[in-house]
Amino acid sequence: MAAIKKTLGFGLAGVMALASVAAMAQTGYPNRPIRWIVPSPAGAPIDAIGRKLGELMSARLGASIVIENKPGAGSTIGATEVARAKPDGYTLMLSVGDALISSVVTMKVPYDPHRDFTLISKIAASGPVLIANKSMPAGDLAGAVKEAQAAQVPLAYGSYGPGSYPQLIMESLARQSTVKFIEVPYKGSPPAMTDLLGGQLAFTFTSTSIAAPMIADGKVKAIAVIGDRRSALLPEVQTFAEAGYDAFIFKNKAWVGLSGPAGMSADVVQKLAAAAQQVVRDPEFGKYLENIGFDAVGNTPEEFLKEYREEYSVVPGLIKELGVAAH
């Protein structure tokens, strides 16, 4: 009988049932469709990446990958389903970090991010751009802060719920610049963008690829980008750090990662990670990511875990400092 393999969960050892390992050895993985839970709405940048990545990984794995969008509650609805799934490699999650970092601090969730998931590979990272309604006079971050300071009623921004990166960035900005904003939570970027264009919001965040043509058409204004350098798609737009806001949260890029439930076979994890890395390192996919404002990553499970731990060591403390709470 095959030896029991150690999992690559969040630093905690676990084992697969012998029957599952034996079945996998006999039939090979994968031998049926794989479900990918994407806890973002259809049409969001993460959804687009998931569909492209799934298509290319499917060809390498020899099995179809089916995307299921399950947004809401700071990505925890989809994450909960994955955490409760069988660790057989047929239910995975492609998500941003909220479900595994900020949401578990701001909400009561039925899972432990360190114990209940297996990290497979960080696929890509991106510095989102803060955009403003076209009617705002300001055209940069200093101007936007002045507008907020002068406003009789606090300006509203669209977030993706408690602890989401738009909320952490905007509340950190408010604290450092001594202004007040009104947060309006959404299930994702598309509905927030709709309300920004409709005049219900002053600000929101989106990917640089979505923002670039809208900025060129005069539909929205670019204020600043997250990251340690300017975006290749918006080279004229300054970073938050250039404007004097250089704390970790203003430079930490949003990421997209592939994960699964705890207890997955090491062989399956490595097979999935290898397939993901092959796709991410392919020039065609790299160009696709570049065109939508993302940097290719494609790291190993061990590297993904290390970076996750580094981020988790900072963000929960920031959330508590800001007093962020669920609505």
Side-chain angles (χ1 to χ4, degrees), residues 128-130 141 157 163-176 181 205 224-227 240 245 248-252 254 318 322:
V129 58
L130 175 64
L141 191 55
Y157 70 89
S164 61
Y165 74 81
Q167 185 188 42
L168 296 183
I169 294 165
M170 293 302 286
E171 295 307 321
S172 294
L173 176 65
R175 181 174 65 171
Q176 186 170 335
F181 296 108
F205 282 86
V225 296
I226 295 297
F240 275 78
Y245 300 87
F248 174 85
I249 196 65
F250 299 119
K251 296 184 286 186
N252 185 46
L318 175 63
L322 295 173

Side-chain angles (χ1 to χ4, degrees), residues 7-8 29 118-120 264-274 301:
T7 65
L8 291 176
Y29 172 87
T118 297
L119 297 184
I120 298 169
M264 291 176 62
S265 159
D267 288 343
V268 170
V269 171
Q270 293 295 350
K271 188 167 188 176
L272 288 165

Side-chain angles (χ1 to χ4, degrees), residues 17-259:
L18 291 176
S20 296
V21 175
M24 236 170 239
Q26 292 170 1
T27 61
Y29 172 87
N31 61 5
R32 56 187 171 88
I34 303 170
R35 296 172 64 226
W36 277 17
I37 303 299
V38 177
S40 301
I46 310 310
D47 175 66
I49 291 174
R51 293 179 188 280
K52 183 70 171 179
L53 178 69
E55 175 188 344
L56 297 175
M57 278 185 64
S58 176
R60 284 167 170 76
L61 293 169
S64 61
I65 292 173
V66 181
I67 304 293
E68 294 185 17
N69 298 94
K70 299 204 172 182
S75 297
T76 62
I77 293 174
T80 297
E81 182 165 343
V82 174
R84 293 173 174 171
K86 291 181 180 179
D88 55 10
Y90 290 101
T91 301
L92 305 176
M93 177 170 70
L94 189 81
S95 70
V96 295
D98 292 356
L100 303 180
I101 300 177
S102 56
S103 293
V104 299
V105 181
T106 60
M107 302 178 183
K108 184 177 181 180
V109 297
Y111 58 79
D112 183 322
H114 302 282
R115 185 186 64 219
D116 296 335
F117 294 90
T118 297
L119 297 184
I120 298 169
S121 182
K122 182 185 289 188
I123 303 302
S126 174
V129 58
L130 175 64
I131 56 175
N133 183 278
K134 66 180 181 180
S135 64
M136 177 169 289
D140 58 20
L141 191 55
V145 168
K146 288 181 180 178
E147 290 287 334
Q149 291 171 333
Q152 293 184 343
V153 177
L155 300 180
Y157 70 89
S159 82
Y160 311 147
S164 61
Y165 74 81
Q167 185 188 42
L168 296 183
I169 294 165
M170 293 302 286
E171 295 307 321
S172 294
L173 176 65
R175 181 174 65 171
Q176 186 170 335
S177 57
T178 63
V179 300
K180 182 175 178 58
F181 296 108
I182 294 176
E183 181 219 2
V184 182
Y186 293 85
K187 288 187 176 181
S189 176
M193 180 65 74
T194 297
D195 278 1
L196 180 78
L197 295 174
Q200 286 79 33
L201 297 176
F203 307 103
T204 194
F205 282 86
T206 192
S207 68
T208 53
S209 63
I210 291 176
M214 301 179 75
I215 293 167
D217 291 342
K219 294 180 178 179
V220 300
K221 288 188 174 182
I223 302 300
V225 296
I226 295 297
D228 53 7
R229 63 182 185 274
R230 295 191 180 195
S231 166
L233 294 180
L234 297 171
E236 73 285 358
V237 181
Q238 66 180 177
T239 66
F240 275 78
E242 287 178 295
Y245 300 87
D246 61 356
F248 174 85
I249 196 65
F250 299 119
K251 296 184 286 186
N252 185 46
K253 292 185 175 182
W255 52 262
V256 181
L258 186 64
S259 60

